[in-house]
Amino acid sequence: MSDLPICPECASEYTYEDRDLLVCPTCGHEWNKTTDGEDAPVGSVVRDANGNELNNGDTVTVIKDLKVKGSSLVVKVGTKVKNIRLVDGDHDIDCKIAGIGAMQLKSEFVKKV
């Protein structure tokens, strides 16, 4: 029938191609065609606003004033954030900012120092 691999998450045989990804309609899992879904998740490379690759432990600078949801605090432009941790999700950086506390940031609003 089809030479596409089965889904590595739920073992469904109903996978399909979407550009350079393989997609499972049963569970919604996506993975690269080049890997078997075992090595790295899709989008595992996180890049800053300038296109530089970010890694755990990097120091970044905020490039835009960011309002903190649920409070009147603002993270100002130029704020340095040390020792970031990369996570999966919409906000792909976990960090602690002095004076504010634990936060999640989007990589598109930071640049690597």
Side-chain angles (χ1 to χ4, degrees):
M1 200 159 169
S2 145
D3 59 344
L4 296 175
I6 62 169
C7 175
E9 294 290 315
C10 69
S12 172
E13 59 185 22
Y14 301 112
T15 57
Y16 64 90
E17 291 181 79
D18 184 19
R19 296 185 188 180
D20 61 340
L21 297 176
L22 293 171
V23 181
C24 174
T26 307
C27 69
H29 180 65
E30 298 178 348
W31 68 98
N32 286 326
K33 287 184 205 176
T34 56
T35 63
D36 295 333
E38 309 293 329
D39 299 331
V42 174
S44 63
V45 175
V46 177
R47 299 194 180 275
D48 69 358
N50 295 331
N52 298 319
E53 185 175 338
L54 296 174
N55 298 305
N56 286 326
D58 283 346
T59 300
V60 296
T61 303
V62 177
I63 62 169
K64 178 182 174 184
D65 282 349
L66 302 173
K67 295 179 182 178
V68 179
K69 279 191 174 181
S71 75
S72 61
L73 298 174
V74 175
V75 179
K76 296 287 188 177
V77 170
T79 301
K80 275 192 177 180
V81 181
K82 297 179 182 179
N83 198 19
I84 64 169
R85 187 172 66 108
L86 302 178
V87 295
D88 289 334
D90 186 33
H91 293 75
D92 41 17
I93 298 173
D94 268 348
C95 60
K96 287 185 181 176
I97 298 177
I100 296 176
M103 287 199 59
Q104 290 185 328
L105 300 173
K106 290 185 177 183
S107 58
E108 63 196 67
F109 298 120
V110 299
K111 69 177 181 177
K112 190 172 185 176
V113 176

